[in-house]
């Protein structure tokens, strides 16, 4: 399948809906918890077991994004979106079969393994294409798509819950719900597959230049391959930046409901379970708003500066929660919302930061490799907050005291991320594609571009 | 929405606006539903 080139007159505003069709679908992964209680009741599973499909899905997301990125760059966005559609929908169909026959392993394999590949390939599928269509506003463009991943859970959570209510929570009801999910997402994602186009190799605003002597078109500006990017300090500095920012955000997100309840347990205005659920919903809104809002702002003030805000102001917000959070509920909520908006913004701005440093040549593949920082943070964040809260509880502490140490650790992580961001400099020209000499193992840049393995 | 890629002498340029509206509605409608449900839930923080 060759990359679909846009016909004359094709609007670049047709590309974000294509990206959203994919991201709004695969974002369903974060609504997996809706299926957990019915599965536990119907198949006699523990909470740990019922989380397995989601956990394997996230592991596969990281692995397939990291290892499939170069293939996605070579085959193009339509191929990648087709793979995402087939894998994600097949995952649900296999899960439907698993639920109908009460074979839980089939749900783990279907949703987790097969669907997880769809998550990873789908996540990176539109990134490179969007950046090429919007060279003037890459932050906004990728922000729209990555906001969609957050939006996917907002849609799926009430939708799946209503479906289970209608079909029943027994194994046949769950099977039917999985079946409807698989078919619906296939139709919804099809729009992305049919709609996506790569920019024509000539003409504004594609940022592509046709060489005057008839050579193949090459992207403008410094370009670094995915393989070469791994050899630069910039890649690993950004890895640390993303990992620290995501860990700090997950620290709040993971324990949001118990945290706000504990913080105000001993005050005259305790927080009920229903209000805590409302707080969690508000955090999701802040996460989504941050993805599009902060990422678009980065087009105006620059990538390095916006990460200074995420990490520097993030420290300030954590400090306010730790020191005076329990004295004011509005202040606590406001600080948590800002932190979550920075969390979302950090995710959405990173592709544009990568484009600034490494060019558009294999930015999707580089982004895929960088997402291993997300997987690491996904383990680190909850581990830190839960482990420390448990130890503090054992030590007889309660209320806001349970989280004090965690909050200071999160501040430390953000400082590490801030320092890493400060160390980011433009990539040395020796890493650029056009500077790779035969002595370094690349006899011809153009041939190398065509034959680089995944 | 006029910043499309263009060639030197386009033979025939189709009006893409209906397609743009359709595709944004396609993705915008479920997102609006999700946001509505989200804010309905979020208001519980202030009403409970």
């Amino acid at each position: 399948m060759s990359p679909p080139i846009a016909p004359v007159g094709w609007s670049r505003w047709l590309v974000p809906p294509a990206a959203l069709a994919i991201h709004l679908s695969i974002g369903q992964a974060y609504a997996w918890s809706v299926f957990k209680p019915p599965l536990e009741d119907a198949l006699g599973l523990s909470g740990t077991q019922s989380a397995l499909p989601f956990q394997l899905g996230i592991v596969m997301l990281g692995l397939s994004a990291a290892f499939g990125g170069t293939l996605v760059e070579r085959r193009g966005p339509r191929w990648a979106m087709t793979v995402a559609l087939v894998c994600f929908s097949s995952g649900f169909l296999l899960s439907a079969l698993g639920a109908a026959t009460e074979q839980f392993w089939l749900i783990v394999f279907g949703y987790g393994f097969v669907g997880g590949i769809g998550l990873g390939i789908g996540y990176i599928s539109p990134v490179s294409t969007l950046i090429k269509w919007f060279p003037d506003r890459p932050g906004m463009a990728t922000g729209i798509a990555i906001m969609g991943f957050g939006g996917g859970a907002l849609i799926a959570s009430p939708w799946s819950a209503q479906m289970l209510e209608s079909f029943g929570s027994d194994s046949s009801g769950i099977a039917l719900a999985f079946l409807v999910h698989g078919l619906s997402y296939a139709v919804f994602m099809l729009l992305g597959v049919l709609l996506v186009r790569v920019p024509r190799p000539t003409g504004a605003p594609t940022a592509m230049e046709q060489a005057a002597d008839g050579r193949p078109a090459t992207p403008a500006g410094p370009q670094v391959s995915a393989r070469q990017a791994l050899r630069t300090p910039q890649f690993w500095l950004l890895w640390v930046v993303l990992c620290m920012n995501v860990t700090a955000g997950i620290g709040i997100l993971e324990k949001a409901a118990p945290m706000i309840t504990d913080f105000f347990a001993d005050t005259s205005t305790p927080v009920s379970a229903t209000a805590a659920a409302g707080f969690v919903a508000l955090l999701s809104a802040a996460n989504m708003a941050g993805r599009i809002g902060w990422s678009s702002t980065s087009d105006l003030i620059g990538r390095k500066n916006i990460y200074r805000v995420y990490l520097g102001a993030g420290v300030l917000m954590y400090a306010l929660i730790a020191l005076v959070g329990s004295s004011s509920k509005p202040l606590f909520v406001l600080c948590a919302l800002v932190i979550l908006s920075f969390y979302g913004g950090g995710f959405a701005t990173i592709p544009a930061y990568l484009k600034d440093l490494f060019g558009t040549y294999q930015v999707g593949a580089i982004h895929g490799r960088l997402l291993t920082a997300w997987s690491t943070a996904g383990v680190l964040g909850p581990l830190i907050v839960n482990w420390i809260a448990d130890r503090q509880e054992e030590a007889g502490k309660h209320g806001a005291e349970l989280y004090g140490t965690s909050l200071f650790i999160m501040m430390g992580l953000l400082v590490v991320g801030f320092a890493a961001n400060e160390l980011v400099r433009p990539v040395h020209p020796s890493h650029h594609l056009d500077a790779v000499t035969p002595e370094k193992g690349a006899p011809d840049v153009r041939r190398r571009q065509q034959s680089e393995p995944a | 929405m006029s910043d499309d890629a263009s060639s030197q002498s386009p033979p025939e340029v189709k009006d893409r606006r209906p397609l743009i509206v359709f595709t944004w509605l396609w993705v915008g409608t479920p997102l609006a539903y999700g946001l509505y449900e989200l804010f309905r839930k979020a208001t519980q923080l202030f009403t409970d």
Side-chain angles (χ1 to χ4, degrees):
Chain A
M1 188 183 287
S2 58
I5 295 178
V8 173
W10 192 257
S11 171
R12 65 176 180 170
W13 291 101
L14 287 166
V15 185
L20 279 170
I22 302 298
H23 270 239
L24 285 172
S25 302
I26 61 176
Q28 180 281 335
Y30 275 139
W32 172 256
S33 57
V34 173
F35 288 105
K36 284 187 72 193
L39 276 173
E40 288 162 21
D41 292 341
L43 304 181
L45 304 171
S46 68
T48 311
Q49 286 173 319
S50 67
L52 273 176
F54 170 75
Q55 286 171 331
L56 181 61
I58 294 298
V59 169
M60 290 309 297
L61 185 158
L63 290 177
S64 54
F67 292 105
T70 315
L71 200 60
V72 169
E73 291 290 349
R74 196 188 306 153
R75 299 283 182 92
R78 180 168 290 171
W79 176 86
M81 288 180 178
T82 306
V83 170
L85 184 159
V86 170
C87 289
F88 190 63
S89 297
S90 302
F92 270 114
L93 299 184
L94 285 168
S95 300
L97 188 63
T101 56
E102 301 193 353
Q103 298 292 316
F104 181 60
W105 69 269
L106 196 52
I107 299 175
V108 176
F109 174 74
Y111 187 89
F113 186 82
V114 180
I117 294 171
L119 295 182
I121 300 296
Y123 193 91
I124 59 172
S125 64
V127 168
S128 177
T129 307
L130 280 166
I131 288 175
K132 285 169 187 163
W133 274 108
F134 291 87
D136 51 338
R137 280 179 277 180
M140 180 212 71
T142 55
I144 290 173
I146 293 172
M147 175 200 72
F149 196 80
L154 300 186
I155 298 166
S157 190
W159 184 55
S160 304
Q162 284 174 5
M163 210 178 293
L164 287 168
E165 209 175 300
S166 305
F167 298 155
S169 296
D170 56 351
S171 56
S172 60
I174 297 168
L176 191 55
F178 280 146
L179 180 70
V180 173
H181 276 71
L183 297 176
S184 303
Y185 280 124
V187 172
F188 192 74
M189 293 168 86
L190 192 61
L191 178 96
V193 174
L194 297 175
L195 200 61
V196 73
R197 300 281 190 285
V198 294
R200 294 166 66 78
T202 55
T206 60
M208 305 285 280
E209 292 174 353
Q210 183 75 45
D213 61 1
R215 284 178 295 138
T218 53
Q223 303 296 324
V224 182
S225 71
R227 183 187 284 178
Q228 196 66 22
L230 290 179
R231 297 174 183 150
T232 65
Q234 286 82 359
F235 176 87
W236 295 104
L237 287 169
L238 286 193
W239 194 97
V240 171
V241 166
L242 183 65
C243 187
M244 297 300 111
N245 191 51
V246 175
T247 303
I250 287 180
I252 286 269
L253 204 55
E254 166 76 11
K255 298 282 278 184
M259 195 184 271
I260 193 170
T261 309
D262 289 337
F263 256 76
F264 299 97
D266 300 330
T267 65
S268 56
T269 54
V271 176
S272 69
T274 319
F279 174 62
V280 174
L282 262 187
L283 291 182
S284 302
N287 178 7
M288 249 188 81
R291 287 171 191 241
I292 180 69
W294 292 121
S295 192
S296 300
T297 308
S298 77
D299 290 334
L300 303 173
I301 68 169
R303 251 57 80 174
K304 194 164 184 170
N305 284 334
I306 201 82
Y307 275 93
R308 283 177 173 140
V309 173
Y310 299 158
L311 300 157
V315 172
L316 186 68
M317 294 298 126
Y318 265 111
L320 283 172
I321 289 182
L323 300 173
V324 290
S326 57
S327 62
S328 166
K329 204 192 291 180
L331 182 72
F332 178 93
V333 172
L334 183 70
C335 290
L337 290 179
V338 173
I339 288 171
L340 259 292
S341 77
F342 290 161
Y343 166 81
F347 267 121
T349 316
I350 210 76
Y353 208 164
L354 292 171
K355 176 254 177 193
D356 291 351
L357 291 168
F358 301 110
T360 56
Y361 170 50
Q362 287 192 327
V363 66
I366 300 169
H367 183 219
R369 284 156 170 79
L370 199 78
L371 290 181
T372 49
W374 177 9
S375 309
T376 307
V379 177
L380 267 183
L383 201 69
I384 293 170
V385 176
N386 289 317
W387 190 82
I388 291 174
D390 290 347
R391 296 294 85 76
Q392 303 286 42
E393 207 166 354
E394 282 170 16
K397 293 185 177 177
H398 60 89
E401 292 175 328
L402 289 171
Y403 305 97
T405 311
S406 305
L407 294 172
F408 282 106
I409 288 175
M410 295 299 168
M411 287 161 63
L413 294 176
L414 288 174
V415 170
V416 171
F418 190 91
N421 184 50
E422 289 305 309
L423 292 173
V424 173
R425 299 279 182 275
V427 174
H428 193 275
S430 65
H431 293 291
H432 296 175
L433 272 181
D434 54 9
V436 178
T437 62
E439 290 78 37
K440 289 184 179 174
D444 182 89
V445 169
R446 274 173 282 148
R447 197 169 70 212
R448 190 165 172 268
Q449 286 179 9
Q450 290 160 3
S451 63
E452 186 153 340
Chain B
M1 295 194 187
S2 60
D3 39 5
D4 303 335
S6 59
S7 66
Q8 287 172 342
S9 56
E12 185 185 337
V13 178
K14 287 183 187 171
D15 183 5
R16 306 285 182 190
R17 280 174 296 188
L19 184 61
I20 292 171
V21 171
F22 170 76
T23 54
W24 278 99
L25 280 175
W26 180 272
V27 294
T29 307
L31 187 58
Y33 159 74
L35 285 171
Y36 167 74
E37 291 288 337
L38 171 81
F39 284 106
R40 217 163 55 95
K41 203 172 173 186
T43 51
Q44 293 170 348
L45 177 62
F46 307 103
T47 55
D48 197 73

